[in-house]
Amino acid sequence: RESAFFLGLSFISFSLASAFGLFYLFFETYSKHITPRVSLKESLRSNAAECLSFESAKAVERALMFARRQKTPQVNSTHLLYFLLEDNPDLGFVFARLNIDLKAVQKILLMSIKPSRGLPFSSPFWQQEEIIWTDDFLSVIESSILLTEKHKHQQVKHTDLLSALALHNETLRNVLIQADLRQEDIEHTVWWLENLERRLAIKRRFW
């Protein structure tokens, strides 16, 4: 039992170290692709954890870990969108409000990110091939920061990521076009959702 406990503790410690390392590699790469006009970007360089909400950080981390299973490790905006939708059921309200079939969208995304054939990596992340950050992924991150400041959020929220993905992710853009919608419709619906959540939070204070 004691050996099993220490084995589990070692696994957890390694997982946390791996996640930290992946985040560090991402933001080091990302900082070279952005302009210094947005003040929040300075905070991203110094402390990424404070700039991403829990939901946003989780989606980014899962996209990174998933990409590590590919023969050529590459993170794109489709990875991010898939895990963002999978881990945040509240975003389903946005799609329902816009009369978009969320399950159909998730199915398309899953087909796009299915791992290529071959064994997943088994070596530590620092010994693996350098990860590739696609232009659309970096554009999503930069746009989400701009949206964060526009909406006066303290952190990059998962709703900021979704609005940015509507700008830069080809799959989501095509879904919107087929539904005769635009990126602004996603952004406005996200605002509606956030406003609803704020009103519910105020009501709960008086219950």
Side-chain angles (χ1 to χ4, degrees):
R1 288 183 180 179
E2 186 175 340
S3 59
F5 170 78
F6 284 110
L7 179 61
L9 188 62
S10 300
F11 177 78
I12 292 172
S13 299
F14 175 76
S15 298
L16 290 174
S18 299
F20 174 81
L22 289 172
F23 272 116
Y24 174 79
L25 290 175
F26 163 62
F27 287 109
E28 279 294 297
T29 305
Y30 167 63
S31 64
K32 298 174 184 176
H33 289 77
I34 59 178
T35 59
R37 291 176 296 177
V38 182
S39 59
L40 188 58
K41 293 172 184 176
E42 293 301 324
S43 298
L44 269 175
R45 294 190 187 97
S46 60
N47 195 340
E50 289 186 1
C51 297
L52 292 174
S53 70
F54 173 79
E55 294 83 4
S56 298
K58 185 177 180 182
V60 171
E61 181 185 1
R62 291 195 66 192
L64 292 172
M65 298 302 287
F66 184 89
R68 281 295 173 189
R69 299 177 59 192
Q70 306 291 326
K71 276 190 172 183
T72 303
Q74 177 172 289
V75 182
N76 59 45
S77 64
T78 302
H79 291 106
L80 181 58
L81 178 57
Y82 177 78
F83 291 111
L84 189 71
L85 295 178
E86 185 175 71
D87 291 334
N88 296 284
D90 59 317
L91 295 182
F93 288 106
V94 175
F95 285 81
R97 184 86 171 177
L98 295 173
N99 200 27
I100 297 175
D101 187 343
L102 177 58
K103 289 186 177 180
V105 174
Q106 290 176 307
K107 186 176 181 180
I108 294 171
L109 294 172
L110 181 60
M111 292 297 294
S112 299
I113 68 171
K114 285 182 69 173
S116 56
R117 292 187 177 182
L119 294 176
F121 285 106
S122 57
S123 57
F125 71 88
W126 59 82
Q127 294 179 6
Q128 293 173 12
E129 187 176 341
E130 182 180 358
I131 201 160
I132 298 170
W133 312 98
T134 62
D135 289 339
D136 63 313
F137 182 91
L138 294 171
S139 295
V140 167
I141 299 299
E142 184 168 11
S143 292
S144 69
I145 295 172
L146 295 172
L147 288 165
T148 296
E149 291 206 332
K150 175 183 176 181
H151 298 146
K152 299 185 181 348
H153 293 154
Q154 297 300 313
Q155 295 177 308
V156 177
K157 299 181 64 175
H158 62 307
T159 49
D160 296 320
L161 286 178
L162 180 63
S163 295
L165 282 158
L167 277 173
H168 301 289
N169 181 261
E170 185 177 357
T171 300
L172 186 53
R173 288 206 314 265
N174 289 337
V175 168
L176 293 175
I177 291 171
Q178 291 173 11
D180 196 23
L181 296 168
R182 299 176 299 172
Q183 185 273 344
E184 290 82 0
D185 296 305
I186 288 276
E187 192 172 346
H188 293 161
T189 308
V190 161
W191 175 87
W192 164 82
L193 175 62
E194 291 179 344
N195 190 47
L196 177 63
E197 290 175 343
R198 279 193 296 269
R199 284 186 290 171
L200 290 174
I202 292 172
K203 284 184 179 181
R204 281 194 289 268
R205 294 177 188 173
F206 299 97
W207 289 353

mmCIF file with all atom_site columns, all heavy atoms in Angstrom, residues 10-11 19 26 33 50 88 93 95 97 117 122 130 159 183 199:
data_model
loop_
_atom_site.group_PDB
_atom_site.id
_atom_site.type_symbol
_atom_site.label_atom_id
_atom_site.label_alt_id
_atom_site.label_comp_id
_atom_site.label_asym_id
_atom_site.label_entity_id
_atom_site.label_seq_id
_atom_site.pdbx_PDB_ins_code
_atom_site.Cartn_x
_atom_site.Cartn_y
_atom_site.Cartn_z
_atom_site.occupancy
_atom_site.B_iso_or_equiv
_atom_site.pdbx_formal_charge
_atom_site.auth_seq_id
_atom_site.auth_comp_id
_atom_site.auth_asym_id
_atom_site.auth_atom_id
_atom_site.pdbx_PDB_model_num
ATOM 1   N N   . SER A 1 10  ? 4.146   10.158 -7.135  1.00 0.00 ? 10  SER A N   1
ATOM 2   C CA  . SER A 1 10  ? 5.158   10.454 -8.155  1.00 0.00 ? 10  SER A CA  1
ATOM 3   C C   . SER A 1 10  ? 4.506   10.766 -9.491  1.00 0.00 ? 10  SER A C   1
ATOM 4   O O   . SER A 1 10  ? 4.921   11.674 -10.215 1.00 0.00 ? 10  SER A O   1
ATOM 5   C CB  . SER A 1 10  ? 6.119   9.264  -8.318  1.00 0.00 ? 10  SER A CB  1
ATOM 6   O OG  . SER A 1 10  ? 6.776   9.000  -7.109  1.00 0.00 ? 10  SER A OG  1
ATOM 7   N N   . PHE A 1 11  ? 3.452   10.002 -9.818  1.00 0.00 ? 11  PHE A N   1
ATOM 8   C CA  . PHE A 1 11  ? 2.747   10.216 -11.090 1.00 0.00 ? 11  PHE A CA  1
ATOM 9   C C   . PHE A 1 11  ? 2.097   11.589 -11.122 1.00 0.00 ? 11  PHE A C   1
ATOM 10  O O   . PHE A 1 11  ? 2.175   12.307 -12.122 1.00 0.00 ? 11  PHE A O   1
ATOM 11  C CB  . PHE A 1 11  ? 1.688   9.129  -11.281 1.00 0.00 ? 11  PHE A CB  1
ATOM 12  C CG  . PHE A 1 11  ? 0.854   9.316  -12.525 1.00 0.00 ? 11  PHE A CG  1
ATOM 13  C CD1 . PHE A 1 11  ? 1.352   8.976  -13.768 1.00 0.00 ? 11  PHE A CD1 1
ATOM 14  C CD2 . PHE A 1 11  ? -0.426  9.853  -12.438 1.00 0.00 ? 11  PHE A CD2 1
ATOM 15  C CE1 . PHE A 1 11  ? 0.602   9.161  -14.910 1.00 0.00 ? 11  PHE A CE1 1
ATOM 16  C CE2 . PHE A 1 11  ? -1.182  10.029 -13.575 1.00 0.00 ? 11  PHE A CE2 1
ATOM 17  C CZ  . PHE A 1 11  ? -0.679  9.683  -14.813 1.00 0.00 ? 11  PHE A CZ  1
ATOM 18  N N   . ALA A 1 19  ? 2.720   19.483 -17.244 1.00 0.00 ? 19  ALA A N   1
ATOM 19  C CA  . ALA A 1 19  ? 1.770   20.537 -17.608 1.00 0.00 ? 19  ALA A CA  1
ATOM 20  C C   . ALA A 1 19  ? 2.436   21.905 -17.518 1.00 0.00 ? 19  ALA A C   1
ATOM 21  O O   . ALA A 1 19  ? 2.278   22.755 -18.400 1.00 0.00 ? 19  ALA A O   1
ATOM 22  C CB  . ALA A 1 19  ? 0.550   20.476 -16.692 1.00 0.00 ? 19  ALA A CB  1
ATOM 23  N N   . PHE A 1 26  ? 4.704   27.020 -24.391 1.00 0.00 ? 26  PHE A N   1
ATOM 24  C CA  . PHE A 1 26  ? 3.700   27.725 -25.178 1.00 0.00 ? 26  PHE A CA  1
ATOM 25  C C   . PHE A 1 26  ? 3.863   29.234 -25.071 1.00 0.00 ? 26  PHE A C   1
ATOM 26  O O   . PHE A 1 26  ? 3.945   29.943 -26.063 1.00 0.00 ? 26  PHE A O   1
ATOM 27  C CB  . PHE A 1 26  ? 2.295   27.332 -24.751 1.00 0.00 ? 26  PHE A CB  1
ATOM 28  C CG  . PHE A 1 26  ? 1.251   28.296 -25.221 1.00 0.00 ? 26  PHE A CG  1
ATOM 29  C CD1 . PHE A 1 26  ? 1.050   28.492 -26.568 1.00 0.00 ? 26  PHE A CD1 1
ATOM 30  C CD2 . PHE A 1 26  ? 0.509   29.026 -24.314 1.00 0.00 ? 26  PHE A CD2 1
ATOM 31  C CE1 . PHE A 1 26  ? 0.113   29.399 -27.014 1.00 0.00 ? 26  PHE A CE1 1
ATOM 32  C CE2 . PHE A 1 26  ? -0.425  29.929 -24.745 1.00 0.00 ? 26  PHE A CE2 1
ATOM 33  C CZ  . PHE A 1 26  ? -0.626  30.120 -26.102 1.00 0.00 ? 26  PHE A CZ  1
ATOM 34  N N   . HIS A 1 33  ? 5.280   36.066 -31.005 1.00 0.00 ? 33  HIS A N   1
ATOM 35  C CA  . HIS A 1 33  ? 4.387   36.250 -32.138 1.00 0.00 ? 33  HIS A CA  1
ATOM 36  C C   . HIS A 1 33  ? 3.383   37.384 -31.931 1.00 0.00 ? 33  HIS A C   1
ATOM 37  O O   . HIS A 1 33  ? 2.496   37.568 -32.752 1.00 0.00 ? 33  HIS A O   1
ATOM 38  C CB  . HIS A 1 33  ? 3.605   34.960 -32.401 1.00 0.00 ? 33  HIS A CB  1
ATOM 39  C CG  . HIS A 1 33  ? 4.437   33.866 -32.961 1.00 0.00 ? 33  HIS A CG  1
ATOM 40  N ND1 . HIS A 1 33  ? 5.304   33.126 -32.188 1.00 0.00 ? 33  HIS A ND1 1
ATOM 41  C CD2 . HIS A 1 33  ? 4.550   33.381 -34.223 1.00 0.00 ? 33  HIS A CD2 1
ATOM 42  C CE1 . HIS A 1 33  ? 5.905   32.219 -32.951 1.00 0.00 ? 33  HIS A CE1 1
ATOM 43  N NE2 . HIS A 1 33  ? 5.466   32.350 -34.177 1.00 0.00 ? 33  HIS A NE2 1
ATOM 44  N N   . GLU A 1 50  ? -2.257  33.457 -13.981 1.00 0.00 ? 50  GLU A N   1
ATOM 45  C CA  . GLU A 1 50  ? -3.109  34.546 -13.537 1.00 0.00 ? 50  GLU A CA  1
ATOM 46  C C   . GLU A 1 50  ? -3.907  35.156 -14.676 1.00 0.00 ? 50  GLU A C   1
ATOM 47  O O   . GLU A 1 50  ? -4.878  35.860 -14.441 1.00 0.00 ? 50  GLU A O   1
ATOM 48  C CB  . GLU A 1 50  ? -2.262  35.636 -12.868 1.00 0.00 ? 50  GLU A CB  1
ATOM 49  C CG  . GLU A 1 50  ? -1.712  35.226 -11.503 1.00 0.00 ? 50  GLU A CG  1
ATOM 50  C CD  . GLU A 1 50  ? -1.019  36.377 -10.824 1.00 0.00 ? 50  GLU A CD  1
ATOM 51  O OE1 . GLU A 1 50  ? -1.000  37.483 -11.410 1.00 0.00 ? 50  GLU A OE1 1
ATOM 52  O OE2 . GLU A 1 50  ? -0.498  36.188 -9.720  1.00 0.00 ? 50  GLU A OE2 1
ATOM 53  N N   . ASN A 1 88  ? -16.906 22.587 -21.160 1.00 0.00 ? 88  ASN A N   1
ATOM 54  C CA  . ASN A 1 88  ? -17.715 23.721 -20.702 1.00 0.00 ? 88  ASN A CA  1
ATOM 55  C C   . ASN A 1 88  ? -19.145 23.615 -21.219 1.00 0.00 ? 88  ASN A C   1
ATOM 56  O O   . ASN A 1 88  ? -19.494 24.217 -22.245 1.00 0.00 ? 88  ASN A O   1
ATOM 57  C CB  . ASN A 1 88  ? -17.076 25.038 -21.169 1.00 0.00 ? 88  ASN A CB  1
ATOM 58  C CG  . ASN A 1 88  ? -15.711 25.269 -20.551 1.00 0.00 ? 88  ASN A CG  1
ATOM 59  O OD1 . ASN A 1 88  ? -15.600 25.630 -19.396 1.00 0.00 ? 88  ASN A OD1 1
ATOM 60  N ND2 . ASN A 1 88  ? -14.662 25.021 -21.327 1.00 0.00 ? 88  ASN A ND2 1
ATOM 61  N N   . PHE A 1 93  ? -25.349 26.525 -24.277 1.00 0.00 ? 93  PHE A N   1
ATOM 62  C CA  . PHE A 1 93  ? -26.435 27.499 -24.329 1.00 0.00 ? 93  PHE A CA  1
ATOM 63  C C   . PHE A 1 93  ? -26.233 28.492 -25.469 1.00 0.00 ? 93  PHE A C   1
ATOM 64  O O   . PHE A 1 93  ? -27.194 28.949 -26.088 1.00 0.00 ? 93  PHE A O   1
ATOM 65  C CB  . PHE A 1 93  ? -26.536 28.254 -22.997 1.00 0.00 ? 93  PHE A CB  1
ATOM 66  C CG  . PHE A 1 93  ? -27.074 27.425 -21.868 1.00 0.00 ? 93  PHE A CG  1
ATOM 67  C CD1 . PHE A 1 93  ? -26.235 26.958 -20.878 1.00 0.00 ? 93  PHE A CD1 1
ATOM 68  C CD2 . PHE A 1 93  ? -28.419 27.104 -21.799 1.00 0.00 ? 93  PHE A CD2 1
ATOM 69  C CE1 . PHE A 1 93  ? -26.720 26.185 -19.831 1.00 0.00 ? 93  PHE A CE1 1
ATOM 70  C CE2 . PHE A 1 93  ? -28.917 26.340 -20.761 1.00 0.00 ? 93  PHE A CE2 1
ATOM 71  C CZ  . PHE A 1 93  ? -28.078 25.868 -19.773 1.00 0.00 ? 93  PHE A CZ  1
ATOM 72  N N   . PHE A 1 95  ? -24.754 27.876 -28.373 1.00 0.00 ? 95  PHE A N   1
ATOM 73  C CA  . PHE A 1 95  ? -25.106 27.205 -29.624 1.00 0.00 ? 95  PHE A CA  1
ATOM 74  C C   . PHE A 1 95  ? -26.611 26.974 -29.721 1.00 0.00 ? 95  PHE A C   1
ATOM 75  O O   . PHE A 1 95  ? -27.193 27.112 -30.802 1.00 0.00 ? 95  PHE A O   1
ATOM 76  C CB  . PHE A 1 95  ? -24.340 25.884 -29.740 1.00 0.00 ? 95  PHE A CB  1
ATOM 77  C CG  . PHE A 1 95  ? -22.890 26.062 -30.081 1.00 0.00 ? 95  PHE A CG  1
ATOM 78  C CD1 . PHE A 1 95  ? -21.958 26.388 -29.106 1.00 0.00 ? 95  PHE A CD1 1
ATOM 79  C CD2 . PHE A 1 95  ? -22.442 25.929 -31.387 1.00 0.00 ? 95  PHE A CD2 1
ATOM 80  C CE1 . PHE A 1 95  ? -20.620 26.583 -29.411 1.00 0.00 ? 95  PHE A CE1 1
ATOM 81  C CE2 . PHE A 1 95  ? -21.109 26.111 -31.721 1.00 0.00 ? 95  PHE A CE2 1
ATOM 82  C CZ  . PHE A 1 95  ? -20.196 26.442 -30.715 1.00 0.00 ? 95  PHE A CZ  1
ATOM 83  N N   . ARG A 1 97  ? -28.902 28.819 -28.375 1.00 0.00 ? 97  ARG A N   1
ATOM 84  C CA  . ARG A 1 97  ? -29.500 30.139 -28.620 1.00 0.00 ? 97  ARG A CA  1
ATOM 85  C C   . ARG A 1 97  ? -29.421 30.513 -30.096 1.00 0.00 ? 97  ARG A C   1
ATOM 86  O O   . ARG A 1 97  ? -30.308 31.180 -30.640 1.00 0.00 ? 97  ARG A O   1
ATOM 87  C CB  . ARG A 1 97  ? -28.767 31.177 -27.770 1.00 0.00 ? 97  ARG A CB  1
ATOM 88  C CG  . ARG A 1 97  ? -29.315 32.578 -27.843 1.00 0.00 ? 97  ARG A CG  1
ATOM 89  C CD  . ARG A 1 97  ? -30.426 32.789 -26.862 1.00 0.00 ? 97  ARG A CD  1
ATOM 90  N NE  . ARG A 1 97  ? -30.813 34.196 -26.778 1.00 0.00 ? 97  ARG A NE  1
ATOM 91  C CZ  . ARG A 1 97  ? -31.793 34.640 -26.032 1.00 0.00 ? 97  ARG A CZ  1
ATOM 92  N NH1 . ARG A 1 97  ? -32.492 33.813 -25.283 1.00 0.00 ? 97  ARG A NH1 1
ATOM 93  N NH2 . ARG A 1 97  ? -32.096 35.923 -26.012 1.00 0.00 ? 97  ARG A NH2 1
ATOM 94  N N   . ARG A 1 117 ? -2.170  7.521  -37.246 1.00 0.00 ? 117 ARG A N   1
ATOM 95  C CA  . ARG A 1 117 ? -1.746  6.187  -36.825 1.00 0.00 ? 117 ARG A CA  1
ATOM 96  C C   . ARG A 1 117 ? -0.291  6.200  -36.375 1.00 0.00 ? 117 ARG A C   1
ATOM 97  O O   . ARG A 1 117 ? 0.533   6.928  -36.871 1.00 0.00 ? 117 ARG A O   1
ATOM 98  C CB  . ARG A 1 117 ? -1.924  5.201  -37.980 1.00 0.00 ? 117 ARG A CB  1
ATOM 99  C CG  . ARG A 1 117 ? -3.391  4.969  -38.320 1.00 0.00 ? 117 ARG A CG  1
ATOM 100 C CD  . ARG A 1 117 ? -3.530  3.866  -39.339 1.00 0.00 ? 117 ARG A CD  1
ATOM 101 N NE  . ARG A 1 117 ? -4.930  3.592  -39.616 1.00 0.00 ? 117 ARG A NE  1
ATOM 102 C CZ  . ARG A 1 117 ? -5.347  2.644  -40.456 1.00 0.00 ? 117 ARG A CZ  1
ATOM 103 N NH1 . ARG A 1 117 ? -4.464  1.899  -41.099 1.00 0.00 ? 117 ARG A NH1 1
ATOM 104 N NH2 . ARG A 1 117 ? -6.639  2.463  -40.652 1.00 0.00 ? 117 ARG A NH2 1
ATOM 105 N N   . SER A 1 122 ? 6.081   8.370  -25.697 1.00 0.00 ? 122 SER A N   1
ATOM 106 C CA  . SER A 1 122 ? 6.193   7.837  -24.345 1.00 0.00 ? 122 SER A CA  1
ATOM 107 C C   . SER A 1 122 ? 7.338   8.490  -23.571 1.00 0.00 ? 122 SER A C   1
ATOM 108 O O   . SER A 1 122 ? 7.461   8.307  -22.377 1.00 0.00 ? 122 SER A O   1
ATOM 109 C CB  . SER A 1 122 ? 6.439   6.319  -24.389 1.00 0.00 ? 122 SER A CB  1
ATOM 110 O OG  . SER A 1 122 ? 7.601   6.030  -25.148 1.00 0.00 ? 122 SER A OG  1
ATOM 111 N N   . GLU A 1 130 ? 10.041  19.262 -30.947 1.00 0.00 ? 130 GLU A N   1
ATOM 112 C CA  . GLU A 1 130 ? 9.486   20.572 -30.606 1.00 0.00 ? 130 GLU A CA  1
ATOM 113 C C   . GLU A 1 130 ? 8.056   20.707 -31.122 1.00 0.00 ? 130 GLU A C   1
ATOM 114 O O   . GLU A 1 130 ? 7.762   20.353 -32.259 1.00 0.00 ? 130 GLU A O   1
ATOM 115 C CB  . GLU A 1 130 ? 10.347  21.683 -31.210 1.00 0.00 ? 130 GLU A CB  1
ATOM 116 C CG  . GLU A 1 130 ? 9.871   23.080 -30.853 1.00 0.00 ? 130 GLU A CG  1
ATOM 117 C CD  . GLU A 1 130 ? 10.751  24.148 -31.457 1.00 0.00 ? 130 GLU A CD  1
ATOM 118 O OE1 . GLU A 1 130 ? 11.738  23.773 -32.119 1.00 0.00 ? 130 GLU A OE1 1
ATOM 119 O OE2 . GLU A 1 130 ? 10.430  25.324 -31.282 1.00 0.00 ? 130 GLU A OE2 1
ATOM 120 N N   . THR A 1 159 ? -15.280 32.136 -22.615 1.00 0.00 ? 159 THR A N   1
ATOM 121 C CA  . THR A 1 159 ? -16.152 32.812 -23.579 1.00 0.00 ? 159 THR A CA  1
ATOM 122 C C   . THR A 1 159 ? -15.345 33.720 -24.508 1.00 0.00 ? 159 THR A C   1
ATOM 123 O O   . THR A 1 159 ? -15.706 33.893 -25.681 1.00 0.00 ? 159 THR A O   1
ATOM 124 C CB  . THR A 1 159 ? -17.221 33.625 -22.824 1.00 0.00 ? 159 THR A CB  1
ATOM 125 O OG1 . THR A 1 159 ? -16.581 34.413 -21.801 1.00 0.00 ? 159 THR A OG1 1
ATOM 126 C CG2 . THR A 1 159 ? -18.253 32.718 -22.177 1.00 0.00 ? 159 THR A CG2 1
ATOM 127 N N   . GLN A 1 183 ? -19.482 36.172 -36.746 1.00 0.00 ? 183 GLN A N   1
ATOM 128 C CA  . GLN A 1 183 ? -18.752 36.117 -35.477 1.00 0.00 ? 183 GLN A CA  1
ATOM 129 C C   . GLN A 1 183 ? -19.420 36.993 -34.436 1.00 0.00 ? 183 GLN A C   1
ATOM 130 O O   . GLN A 1 183 ? -19.467 36.650 -33.252 1.00 0.00 ? 183 GLN A O   1
ATOM 131 C CB  . GLN A 1 183 ? -17.298 36.553 -35.688 1.00 0.00 ? 183 GLN A CB  1
ATOM 132 C CG  . GLN A 1 183 ? -16.416 36.427 -34.449 1.00 0.00 ? 183 GLN A CG  1
ATOM 133 C CD  . GLN A 1 183 ? -16.439 37.651 -33.540 1.00 0.00 ? 183 GLN A CD  1
ATOM 134 O OE1 . GLN A 1 183 ? -16.880 38.735 -33.970 1.00 0.00 ? 183 GLN A OE1 1
ATOM 135 N NE2 . GLN A 1 183 ? -15.966 37.500 -32.323 1.00 0.00 ? 183 GLN A NE2 1
ATOM 136 N N   . ARG A 1 199 ? -26.849 38.258 -13.441 1.00 0.00 ? 199 ARG A N   1
ATOM 137 C CA  . ARG A 1 199 ? -28.144 38.509 -12.798 1.00 0.00 ? 199 ARG A CA  1
ATOM 138 C C   . ARG A 1 199 ? -28.528 37.378 -11.846 1.00 0.00 ? 199 ARG A C   1
ATOM 139 O O   . ARG A 1 199 ? -29.077 37.625 -10.771 1.00 0.00 ? 199 ARG A O   1
ATOM 140 C CB  . ARG A 1 199 ? -29.225 38.694 -13.866 1.00 0.00 ? 199 ARG A CB  1
ATOM 141 C CG  . ARG A 1 199 ? -29.165 40.063 -14.553 1.00 0.00 ? 199 ARG A CG  1
ATOM 142 C CD  . ARG A 1 199 ? -30.311 40.266 -15.492 1.00 0.00 ? 199 ARG A CD  1
ATOM 143 N NE  . ARG A 1 199 ? -30.190 39.397 -16.659 1.00 0.00 ? 199 ARG A NE  1
ATOM 144 C CZ  . ARG A 1 199 ? -31.162 39.240 -17.568 1.00 0.00 ? 199 ARG A CZ  1
ATOM 145 N NH1 . ARG A 1 199 ? -32.316 39.840 -17.421 1.00 0.00 ? 199 ARG A NH1 1
ATOM 146 N NH2 . ARG A 1 199 ? -30.966 38.458 -18.609 1.00 0.00 ? 199 ARG A NH2 1
#
